[in-house]
Amino acid sequence: MILRCLPLLLFVVLCGTAEAQSFRICHGYGCTFQTPVTLTPADRSQIASIMSGGRASPAAERAAVRLAVQVFERRSTAVIGVIDRPKMDFGEGRQKGQMDCVDESTNTDHFLRYLQGAGLLRYHRVAQRDSRGSFLDGRYPHFTAVLRDDSGTSWAVDSWYEPGGGPPDVMLLAEWHRRGYGGQR
């Protein structure tokens, strides 16, 4: 029994930490599918280079995060073999590679935790994912990954509106909460 569980245990140990270079990428809406993706040494080098360009200020770091998320998503879609369409198509769930906001926010959150664990975030810490919308307010529920800067200000990191590898929105979480009517940004 222990020998059969050892590969799973090793995966959890290696992938369950903030410093992991391997991820389980959610796709198919609501994490229906999970594909293992490992950042290559070239990916990690490119990400570290991008993040070093963000050392000047919190705003520069957020701009670097925006670029680094794109590298991460390009690697993920290359492994999955499908570049997801922007947003989501209702009724089109369970399609390999297609992502809803649950998939996107989960993947982005895990990547941001990798950046944090690798010491690549200087001005921000990863906060709990957040959501907006409840149908009652005229908006569909929507989720995002969140960074909190050293002043306590929270920032949404939302890649749902672009196809895989496109630039995510990185904006004040308070502003992000006010948006999203009719599927619009």
Side-chain angles (χ1 to χ4, degrees), residues 23-86:
F23 304 84
R24 281 204 172 280
I25 301 300
C26 290
H27 55 106
Y29 295 13
C31 290
T32 297
F33 305 108
Q34 295 182 30
T35 300
V37 172
T38 301
L39 296 175
T40 67
D43 296 329
R44 293 191 313 271
S45 176
Q46 183 180 11
I47 290 165
S49 177
I50 288 168
M51 293 308 298
S52 71
R55 293 300 216 187
S57 69
E61 185 167 85
R62 288 189 298 276
V65 163
R66 189 172 198 234
L67 295 173
V69 167
Q70 290 177 266
V71 171
F72 172 68
E73 286 196 352
R74 284 193 297 267
R75 175 72 179 134
S76 299
T77 58
V79 170
I80 294 169
V82 177
I83 297 176
D84 72 316
R85 296 180 296 276

Side-chain angles (χ1 to χ4, degrees), residues 122-150:
R122 181 176 186 178
Y123 301 103
H124 299 82
R125 299 294 166 262
V126 181
Q128 184 175 343
R129 290 184 304 144
D130 205 339
S131 65
R132 67 177 182 214
S134 64
F135 293 115
L136 298 175
D137 66 359
R139 299 182 295 174
Y140 288 104
H142 185 64
F143 295 85
T144 188
V146 178
L147 287 173
R148 184 165 295 123
D149 67 24
D150 292 340

